[in-house]
Amino acid sequence: MSSREFFFLPVGEGQRFCVFHPPQASVERGAVLYLHPFAEEMNKSRRMASLQSRALAAAGYSVLQIDLLGCGDSSGDFCDATWDAWRGDVIDAIAWLRQRTSAPLTLWGLRAGCLLATDAAVDLQETPNFIFWQPVLSGKRYWQQFMRLKAAAELASGQAREILEAVRQRVDSGENVEIAGYMVSRGLVDGLERSALVPPHKRAGRVAWFELTARQDGCMSPASLQRIAQWRSSGCSVEAFPVEGPGFWQTSEIEDAPQLVDSTLTAVRAWQ
């Protein structure tokens, strides 16, 4: 049974809540940092993140989960978060891991956490491997989809476009905007909109790319296949895995995707 360590990581003027899963095998296979998704998707995904972290630790990996600035049990409010601050959280978390282990580093992201992983990796001296769970390909498109939650209640009255334009104007003027219960800053929006799932280095790294599908004979989406080709052309070794399971980050009830946990563990262990 995995013995987890709960602690607050000091960063700047605040602190970030972390969960560390030490490796349970006699030989350490690697070090993994988990980067959670955006807003409510984070809460929906906590159980799956924990299940995968425990499975990796049992197989011999050091796994660190971090709540970013303004998220979960970390200091600050969501409105305090900026993309650059989140990138800084990633670097600080990696520095903490590096004090504990020199094992090969893997950045594991879910949804928008994949964008943050690749963005922060630009600042690293080492070339990490990546685990992508249902990655967001474009931060700009993702933000547009998130903004539509603001206008959802107005769709019937035909005011959706006006609502979206008002949100955009408020963000451009530097105001925080409330969407689906989350107050979002311009600093977060600007960084998210600039982000895209592109290779951070010319040096080759390994990537395990997972997409959930409701069909046993499912396949990767055309958009993902196109982006995967881009990563491969940059020299990265990318393995694509369509996996049967629910979109747990967005379901009304908390759901598990056990095949995703098993497939991820199998893929990462094959890197050794």
Side-chain angles (χ1 to χ4, degrees):
M1 182 176 180
S2 175
S3 57
R4 296 174 291 172
E5 300 176 19
F6 301 88
F7 66 97
F8 286 96
L9 177 66
V11 290
E13 298 180 358
Q15 54 188 11
R16 306 292 178 262
F17 178 73
C18 296
V19 182
F20 179 62
H21 304 257
Q24 300 300 300
S26 57
V27 177
E28 185 176 17
R29 292 176 174 269
V32 181
L33 174 62
Y34 170 68
L35 301 177
H36 61 71
F38 193 80
E40 192 60 23
E41 291 184 1
M42 172 191 179
N43 295 323
K44 295 287 187 178
S45 305
R46 279 193 179 277
R47 175 170 167 78
M48 276 296 296
S50 179
L51 290 174
Q52 186 68 72
S53 296
R54 295 185 187 195
L56 286 166
Y61 295 86
S62 296
V63 185
L64 181 64
Q65 298 176 253
I66 182 172
D67 288 356
L68 301 169
L69 170 62
C71 301
D73 293 317
S74 288
S75 60
D77 296 320
F78 199 83
C79 63
D80 300 321
T82 66
W83 194 254
D84 286 344
W86 281 359
R87 284 181 55 157
D89 287 349
V90 176
I91 301 303
D92 288 335
I94 292 172
W96 185 91
L97 266 176
R98 280 293 171 245
Q99 293 175 355
R100 301 287 294 262
T101 176
S102 60
L105 176 66
T106 295
L107 301 181
W108 159 33
L110 170 58
R111 304 285 290 144
C114 300
L115 295 175
L116 185 61
T118 56
D119 211 5
V122 174
D123 298 328
L124 299 179
Q125 296 299 314
E126 58 186 309
T127 301
N129 298 319
F130 295 96
I131 300 170
F132 292 153
W133 274 10
Q134 203 73 23
V136 171
L137 305 183
S138 166
K140 183 175 183 179
R141 182 170 298 176
Y142 181 80
W143 170 246
Q144 291 171 345
Q145 294 169 347
F146 190 72
M147 276 199 301
R148 292 193 181 102
L149 296 175
K150 183 73 172 178
E154 306 297 332
L155 289 175
S157 63
Q159 299 299 310
R161 177 174 297 181
E162 289 79 2
I163 294 294
L164 292 176
E165 290 178 353
V167 170
R168 182 73 262 178
Q169 290 174 3
R170 289 181 59 191
V171 170
D172 289 343
S173 68
E175 291 185 54
N176 295 339
V177 294
E178 186 277 325
I179 300 178
Y182 290 85
M183 194 67 73
V184 188
S185 71
R186 179 175 180 176
L188 186 52
V189 174
D190 286 349
L192 181 60
E193 286 194 314
R194 289 194 305 268
S195 65
L197 199 71
V198 295
H201 293 288
K202 292 183 179 179
R203 291 171 292 170
R206 292 180 176 272
V207 181
W209 189 306
F210 296 87
E211 282 191 354
L212 274 295
T213 175
R215 298 175 54 184
Q216 293 182 350
D217 59 346
C219 58
M220 308 294 286
S221 68
S224 290
L225 290 174
Q226 183 178 16
R227 191 60 59 87
I228 288 169
Q230 179 184 0
W231 277 72
R232 287 173 174 163
S233 67
S234 74
C236 295
S237 174
V238 182
E239 295 179 278
F241 302 93
V243 178
E244 184 181 6
F248 56 86
W249 60 90
Q250 61 185 357
T251 54
S252 57
E253 301 294 333
I254 301 300
E255 294 197 48
D256 294 345
Q259 289 189 25
L260 178 60
V261 174
D262 294 341
S263 296
T264 300
L265 185 59
T266 298
V268 174
R269 294 184 70 171
W271 291 346
Q272 303 298 316

